[in-house]
């Protein structure tokens, strides 16, 4: 009956302690107060003992003071910071090995060699320590001291086991609560002290909290912003939560450029419980970008104007040079006819030279005017459905004498095809391209003209077996009067620019490929029907 009564009393005391500890935990009491209540309960149930609860610091692998209501303060201070190990007294060894350690007499126990003097100075002879296990590992020790040699009884073991579990609950809660509090504090600092504007909203986008940076950016108070929807503050140019740019009007009249990014915070079920919006003021950055872009555009315009001016100067100089030779021929033969009484044959030859030079000048002026009209988009065109092989045959017939003189052979491989274009301009294009193919060919070379009908276009190809063009000259192909280093007897440098301009004016395109020492191929693509 006495044993039953004692067990009942122990149970009642433990239940009261458990209830009180849980109430203190729920009320947010400091861990030291909670652990002290646990230690006092054991000392009350085991008269004559002294209880100590130490907390394990994993980073330093030491035990720190938790609670010791009846131990001498000097002793508690002496073991505060105790390193754990195999021979670190009862508590240090229990924490290190993770098992209960009983030192019936500390004066003879080898694990107490380094701590006997401290224990003896305070009248302590026995120490029994049990590791306190948390959710993941050992979090501390629960020690019972006696002032004489002592071996724990089954009842004492049962009491310590129960109270050790209660202490582990309190310590685990403190660890979790501390981590949560630390996390909340870090979030508060990251949120409130962030230089970027931030807002927390409900899942629907209504603002529940803002930081100082956002309130300053918007020029509004927390009260004014609470409940306002994000879409009312920033008009998205994209679909949240993707970052989007927005413009807002500050109360002081300024217009601000901002970038807004919205991230959902999911609850346990994976559904968003709130949104976090980051608002970055990019007004100055955008202004700097616009300024840089303006300076760049101005610089590009200046360079273009300088290039245009140089091109104009070069063009005028080249045109003057090209006109000077035939004009000198006209002037010379005119003076010759006016000053000498020439025989009919020489007179007729002089007149032919004058006529040829005048024709050359007229053709050059016509080409220059055509280029000018193309650039001004004022070239007169008379498009119609043209039989391409017929035009090819006429062009080759006109160029036959030149090809014979240069020792070049034509191959007409044009098939049946009809292009919607200006016949006169098509002939002009092919005369320039085929003429160049003959002039820049080699003796015994060939010029092949082929046509290919596609779904909505006709492709005319002029391919020669000449010397080709060096890669460094390709970007100058369509510069008027630039003959890429050829002598003046091989044209004036207007053929390719004019052919390209005429092709594009008729809604087509001109493609150019060339391989040095192998030849050059030009493709003219023209529409098959009107556009």
């Amino acid at each position: 009956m006495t044993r039953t009564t004692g067990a009942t009393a122990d149970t009642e005391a433990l239940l009261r302690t458990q209830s009180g500890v849980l109430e203190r935990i729920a009320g947010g009491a400091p861990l030291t107060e909670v652990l002290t209540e646990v230690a006092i309960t054991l000392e009350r149930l085991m008269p004559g003992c002294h209880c100590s609860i130490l907390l394990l610091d994993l980073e330093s692998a030491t035990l720190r003071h938790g609670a010791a209501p009846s131990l001498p303060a000097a002793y508690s201070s002496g073991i505060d910071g105790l390193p754990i190990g195999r021979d670190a007294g009862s508590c240090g060894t229990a924490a290190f090995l993770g098992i209960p350690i009983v030192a019936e007499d500390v004066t003879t126990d080898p694990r107490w060699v380094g701590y006997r003097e401290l224990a003896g100075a305070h009248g302590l002879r026995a120490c029994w320590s049990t590791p306190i296990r948390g959710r993941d590992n050992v979090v501390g020790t629960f020690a019972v001291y006696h002032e004489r040699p002592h071996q724990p009884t089954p009842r004492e073991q049962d009491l310590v086991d129960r109270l050790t579990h209660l202490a582990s609950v309190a310590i685990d809660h403190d660890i979790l609560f501390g981590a949560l509090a630390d996390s909340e504090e870090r979030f508060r600092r990251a949120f409130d002290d962030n230089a970027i504007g931030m807002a927390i909203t409900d899942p629907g986008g209504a603002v529940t909290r803002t930081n100082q940076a956002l309130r300053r950016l918007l020029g509004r108070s927390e009260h004014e912003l609470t409940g306002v929807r994000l879409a009312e503050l920033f008009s998205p140019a994209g679909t949240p939560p993707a970052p989007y740019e927005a413009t807002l009007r500050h109360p002081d009249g300024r217009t601000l450029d901002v970038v807004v990014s919205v991230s959902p915070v999911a609850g346990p079920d994976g559904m968003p419980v709130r949104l976090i919006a980051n608002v970055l003021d990019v007004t100055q950055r955008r202004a700097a970008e616009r300024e840089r872009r303006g300076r760049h555009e101005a610089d590009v315009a200046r360079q273009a104007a300088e290039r245009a001016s140089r091109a104009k100067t070069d063009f005028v100089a080249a045109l003057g040079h090209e006109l000077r030779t035939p004009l000198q021929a006209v002037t010379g033969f005119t003076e010759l006819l006016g000053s000498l009484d020439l025989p009919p044959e020489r007179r007729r030859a002089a007149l032919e030279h004058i006529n040829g030079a005048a024709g050359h000048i007229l053709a050059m002026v016509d080409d220059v005017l055509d280029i000018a009209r193309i650039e001004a988009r004022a070239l007169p065109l008379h498009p119609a459905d043209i039989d391409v092989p017929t035009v090819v045959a006429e062009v080759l017939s006109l160029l036959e004498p030149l090809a014979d003189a240069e020792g070049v052979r034509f191959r007409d491989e044009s098939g049946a095809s009809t292009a919607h274009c200006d016949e006169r301009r098509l002939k002009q294009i092919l005369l320039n391209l085929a003429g160049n193919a003959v002039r820049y060919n080699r003796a015994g070379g060939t010029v092949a003209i082929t046509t290919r009908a596609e779904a909505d276009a006709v492709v005319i190809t002029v391919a020669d077996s000449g010397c080709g063009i060096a890669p460094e000259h390709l970007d100058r192909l369509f510069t008027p009067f630039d003959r890429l280093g050829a002598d003046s007897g091989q044209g004036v440098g207007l053929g390719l620019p004019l052919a390209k301009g005429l092709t594009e004016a008729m809604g087509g395109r001109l493609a150019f490929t060339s391989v040095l020492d192998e030849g050059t191929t030009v493709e003219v693509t023209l529409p098959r029907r009107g556009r």
Side-chain angles (χ1 to χ4, degrees), residues 55-64 79-84 95:
L55 304 176
L56 178 59
D57 183 344
L58 288 175
E59 291 187 3
S60 62
T62 58
L63 291 170
R64 310 297 302 188
I79 63 172
D80 188 25
L82 171 70
I84 66 174

Side-chain angles (χ1 to χ4, degrees), residues 47-117:
C49 78
H50 304 281
C51 183
S52 169
I53 299 176
L54 299 178
L55 304 176
L56 178 59
D57 183 344
L58 288 175
E59 291 187 3
S60 62
T62 58
L63 291 170
R64 310 297 302 188
H65 175 72
S70 64
L71 276 177
Y75 180 79
S76 295
S77 177
I79 63 172
D80 188 25
L82 171 70
I84 66 174
R86 292 185 178 276
D87 298 306
S90 297
C91 293
T93 306
F96 182 76
L97 298 177
I99 58 176
I101 299 296
V102 178
E104 185 176 351
D105 189 343
V106 300
T107 61
T108 60
D109 193 299
R111 291 165 295 205
W112 274 81
V113 171
Y115 306 97
R116 287 174 184 166
E117 184 176 346

Side-chain angles (χ1 to χ4, degrees), residues 218-234:
L218 298 175
R220 299 167 70 174
S221 67
E222 178 95 22
H223 176 72
E224 292 174 317
L225 292 171
T226 301
V228 179
R229 298 178 65 83
L230 283 179
E232 298 175 26
L233 296 174
F234 316 105

Side-chain angles (χ1 to χ4, degrees), residues 65-341:
H65 175 72
S70 64
L71 276 177
Y75 180 79
S76 295
S77 177
I79 63 172
D80 188 25
L82 171 70
I84 66 174
R86 292 185 178 276
D87 298 306
S90 297
C91 293
T93 306
F96 182 76
L97 298 177
I99 58 176
I101 299 296
V102 178
E104 185 176 351
D105 189 343
V106 300
T107 61
T108 60
D109 193 299
R111 291 165 295 205
W112 274 81
V113 171
Y115 306 97
R116 287 174 184 166
E117 184 176 346
L118 178 64
H122 296 89
L124 303 174
R125 288 289 303 276
C127 181
W128 162 36
S129 184
T130 301
I132 302 174
R133 295 188 178 278
R135 292 190 308 166
D136 301 320
N137 46 43
V138 174
V139 295
T141 59
F142 196 112
V144 181
Y145 290 87
H146 289 271
E147 296 176 0
R148 62 181 183 277
H150 182 81
Q151 183 72 237
T153 67
R155 171 181 174 269
E156 292 172 343
Q157 291 178 352
D158 182 60
L159 288 173
V160 169
D161 287 345
R162 295 190 184 189
L163 290 173
T164 298
H165 176 69
L166 191 57
S168 74
V169 172
I171 295 171
D172 267 348
H173 176 271
D174 184 75
I175 292 173
L176 291 173
F177 183 80
L180 178 61
D182 184 60
S183 176
E184 289 181 347
E185 176 63 15
R186 288 198 303 270
F187 174 78
R188 185 194 66 77
R189 291 185 179 182
F191 183 83
D192 292 337
D193 301 338
N194 205 310
I196 297 175
M198 299 180 69
I200 301 175
T201 79
D202 62 21
V207 174
T208 58
R209 184 178 171 186
T210 57
N211 70 349
Q212 183 177 359
L214 183 61
R215 295 193 294 271
R216 186 167 54 247
L217 178 65
L218 298 175
R220 299 167 70 174
S221 67
E222 178 95 22
H223 176 72
E224 292 174 317
L225 292 171
T226 301
V228 179
R229 298 178 65 83
L230 283 179
E232 298 175 26
L233 296 174
F234 316 105
S235 299
T239 302
Y244 60 88
E245 295 188 3
T247 301
L248 60 89
R249 188 79 172 178
H250 194 276
D252 64 7
R254 289 179 297 151
T255 299
L256 303 178
D257 297 321
V258 296
V259 174
V260 183
S261 62
V262 182
S263 304
V265 178
D269 58 356
M271 298 300 293
V273 294
R274 64 180 62 89
L275 303 176
I276 296 181
N278 293 283
V279 184
L280 179 63
D281 183 3
V282 295
T283 305
Q284 293 183 351
R285 184 192 305 174
R286 293 289 185 268
E289 289 174 355
R290 288 193 292 269
E291 182 180 354
R292 285 195 299 271
R293 188 163 52 249
R295 288 199 301 266
H296 175 71
E297 291 174 353
D299 189 53
V300 170
R302 177 184 58 78
Q303 293 177 4
E306 291 176 353
R307 286 196 301 269
S309 178
R310 287 195 300 269
K312 180 180 178 181
T313 300
D314 294 344
F315 180 82
V316 171
L319 181 60
H321 174 75
E322 294 300 333
L323 289 174
R324 185 174 294 109
T325 299
L327 284 174
Q328 286 174 345
V330 171
T331 302
F333 282 109
T334 300
E335 290 178 352
L336 184 63
L337 290 173
S339 60
L340 297 176
D341 186 14

Side-chain angles (χ1 to χ4, degrees), residues 473 476 482-487 490:
H473 292 160
R476 295 159 46 194
D482 192 337
R483 291 188 295 269
L484 308 181
D487 59 56
Q490 293 179 300

Side-chain angles (χ1 to χ4, degrees), residues 461-484:
T461 303
V462 180
D464 67 59
S465 59
C467 56
I469 298 174
E472 62 269 20
H473 292 160
L474 293 177
D475 60 344
R476 295 159 46 194
L477 282 175
F478 303 106
T479 302
F481 294 108
D482 192 337
R483 291 188 295 269
L484 308 181

